[in-house]
Amino acid sequence: MAALQAQRLFLAQSSSFLPSTSAARPRPRPRRSGAATCRAALRVPSGIHTAQDSLSLKLDWIDVPASPSADVDAGSVSVEKLRAIADAAADRAEMHDIIGRQRDNWNHLLLHSTNSLTLAASVMAALAPAAPGVVALKASAGVLLASAAVTMAAVNKIQPSQLAEEQRNATRLWRELERDVRPALALGAPANTTKDDVQETMDRVLALDAAYPLPLLPGMLEKFPKAVEPARWWPRRRAAQPKRSKSFSRRGSVAAGNNGWTQDLEEEMRGILRVIKAKDEQEFLRVGKLVLNLNRGLAVAGPALAGTAALASVFIGSGEAGAWASGAAVFGGALAAAVNTVEHGGQMGMLFELLRNCAGFYRKIQEDIEANLGEPDLERREGGEVFATKVALKLGRSLSDLKQFRKMASPSVRDEDIEEFAGKLF
């Protein structure tokens, strides 16, 4: 009994000297969740929300740049639109050319036909008093003269020579529009073609359609307007947002940041602008008014004379008044043919339209110069040297000739003192 107690005492004391199993084994560290690790390693910006079990990110605050392919697609669409406009311009030019030839034929055919009617009726009216069949001759003369009067009135209303000139000018302008669009398509750079380019070209198309309509009735331009204005075939410029102006580096010098513009060049452009307003445009408008008044008088006189001759032919062969009636019919018919020849053979309508177009040509140069001078940012202007060359070519002058207009920009020079015209081309 004593031996067993001694053994138990020995085992208890020996076990106290051995390391404990729980004490020797390292205590496991508590596991951290993924969200806790991210929060410990990173400072999470606002807008990113985390969860205990998963990491949820909101990237709405990040500005993702547009894909380059989107710009290329938009540019490709713009290029296709410009190609459609160029094709339409070529088609319009062909249509205006065909219609212009047709209306020029109208002018010649109607001129000769009306004169033939009038002169044949005058011959019949002269022969009627001495002819056995006086009734038939005077009736035929009256019918022919009445037909000539109605034909003259209709032709004077539409002015075929002016219609032909409108179509000729429209053909030239549509071809010019096509030439301006085709080079942009040939470059093959869709990224450089924007919606603004398409809109600007469409504005030119609509302006041309309004300036030179294809249909005869309705929509024909007024042939006898109350006021003579320059023809306008270009769209009105949109007002640009004002920007800070850029000063020139030195008078007369072309700096790298001046886009070819100098103070001297600006003064030359202002002088040209003043001369065009005071001389060139006003001269064409003044002559245009004279031609319009002359054409208006001829347009009224021709049918009136032919109608008077037709009325006088009714009294041919009726006693003593018959001889006077025959003379009046012959004289009225001859004068009507002469007036018709001067009006349509001289193409007064074409001349008036030509003068309007010339005035519009100078008006467009004015607006181009004003648009460039009105732009304070030199980089947004057209290149100064290139623009001066274009203006010189349009005026039929050399670049050195433009320097003489520099003094015209001075306020000390009055409009009455300006003697020379800006344009030499016409």
Side-chain angles (χ1 to χ4, degrees):
M1 190 71 175
L4 289 174
Q5 292 179 352
Q7 185 179 4
R8 290 177 181 175
L9 180 62
F10 174 78
L11 290 175
Q13 292 176 352
S14 62
S15 62
S16 63
F17 292 98
L18 292 176
S20 176
T21 305
S22 60
R25 184 179 300 171
R27 182 176 297 176
R29 296 180 180 179
R31 293 184 180 180
R32 295 182 180 182
S33 64
T37 304
C38 291
R39 286 195 297 268
L42 300 174
R43 292 183 179 272
V44 181
S46 60
I48 300 180
H49 302 279
T50 62
Q52 185 69 21
D53 298 329
S54 62
L55 184 61
S56 176
L57 301 180
K58 287 189 176 181
L59 303 179
D60 297 341
W61 57 277
I62 300 178
D63 188 9
V64 180
S67 174
S69 60
D71 295 337
V72 173
D73 293 340
S76 300
V77 173
S78 299
V79 168
E80 291 300 323
K81 290 180 179 180
L82 285 180
R83 184 174 287 108
I85 293 174
D87 294 338
D91 187 52
R92 293 278 216 293
E94 187 68 21
M95 287 191 293
H96 281 281
D97 183 50
I98 294 173
I99 293 177
R101 295 178 184 179
Q102 178 196 45
R103 292 175 181 177
D104 188 51
N105 289 333
W106 285 1
N107 184 56
H108 294 289
L109 293 175
L110 291 172
L111 169 64
H112 298 307
S113 299
T114 305
N115 284 347
S116 299
L117 289 174
T118 307
L119 295 177
S122 298
V123 172
M124 290 181 182
L127 298 177
V134 60
V135 177
L137 284 177
K138 76 174 185 178
S140 300
V143 170
L144 291 178
L145 288 171
S147 301
V150 174
T151 304
M152 284 183 187
V155 173
N156 294 344
K157 176 65 176 178
I158 63 175
Q159 294 290 318
S161 63
Q162 186 171 348
L163 292 173
E165 179 61 22
E166 291 173 4
Q167 303 308 313
R168 283 191 290 266
N169 199 40
T171 302
R172 179 183 64 84
L173 293 172
W174 280 112
R175 288 173 179 169
E176 179 184 352
L177 175 59
E178 183 188 5
R179 288 194 303 269
D180 292 343
V181 176
R182 292 295 183 189
L185 300 176
L187 294 177
N192 296 332
T193 305
T194 62
K195 294 181 180 180
D196 294 336
D197 298 330
V198 178
Q199 185 61 42
E200 180 181 357
T201 309
M202 280 299 300
D203 291 342
R204 292 180 62 184
V205 170
L206 297 178
L208 269 176
D209 282 336
Y212 302 103
L214 278 170
L216 184 62
L217 292 174
M220 181 181 64
L221 296 179
E222 179 62 38
K223 298 302 180 288
F224 300 99
K226 296 180 180 179
V228 180
E229 296 291 339
R232 185 181 187 88
W233 58 84
W234 62 95
R236 298 189 182 276
R237 300 182 183 273
R238 299 175 182 176
Q241 296 181 355
K243 292 192 174 184
R244 187 178 63 180
S245 61
K246 189 172 184 179
S247 59
F248 298 103
S249 59
R250 188 172 72 252
R251 183 181 180 88
S253 63
V254 181
N258 287 350
N259 196 18
W261 286 90
T262 63
Q263 191 68 30
D264 291 340
L265 180 57
E266 281 202 355
E267 291 182 0
E268 291 173 10
M269 292 297 111
R270 289 192 178 93
I272 293 173
L273 179 62
R274 184 179 180 185
V275 173
I276 289 177
K277 285 183 177 180
K279 296 291 291 184
D280 296 77
E281 180 181 338
Q282 295 302 320
E283 181 69 14
F284 282 105
L285 293 179
R286 183 184 65 81
V287 179
K289 291 178 183 178
L290 294 177
V291 174
L292 177 63
N293 293 333
L294 176 60
N295 193 26
R296 184 183 285 114
L298 293 174
V300 174
L305 289 171
T308 302
L311 183 62
S313 64
V314 177
F315 300 97
I316 295 177
S318 55
E320 296 181 357
W324 290 98
S326 176
V330 173
F331 186 66
L335 281 180
V339 169
N340 189 57
T341 301
V342 171
E343 182 181 6
H344 298 289
Q347 299 190 3
M348 291 296 173
M350 181 276 297
L351 183 58
F352 172 68
E353 184 64 24
L354 181 63
L355 294 170
R356 284 183 64 246
N357 289 331
C358 291
F361 175 80
Y362 285 109
R363 176 65 64 85
K364 189 175 187 302
I365 295 178
Q366 290 181 42
E367 294 191 6
D368 290 341
I369 296 176
E370 289 174 348
N372 279 276
L373 295 180
E375 175 58 55
D377 188 359
L378 301 180
E379 295 299 329
R380 293 173 60 90
R381 295 183 184 180
E382 187 175 356
E385 297 179 359
V386 177
F387 182 72
T389 303
K390 290 181 179 180
V391 172
L393 290 173
K394 290 179 180 179
L395 298 178
R397 291 180 176 272
S398 63
L399 289 174
S400 59
D401 290 342
L402 301 183
K403 297 180 180 179
Q404 63 180 328
F405 295 101
R406 195 179 303 166
K407 61 182 180 181
M408 302 298 178
S410 174
S412 60
V413 179
R414 300 179 303 174
D415 292 343
E416 294 79 8
D417 298 334
I418 301 176
E419 298 180 356
E420 187 175 2
F421 293 90
K424 284 188 175 181
L425 191 59
F426 45 81

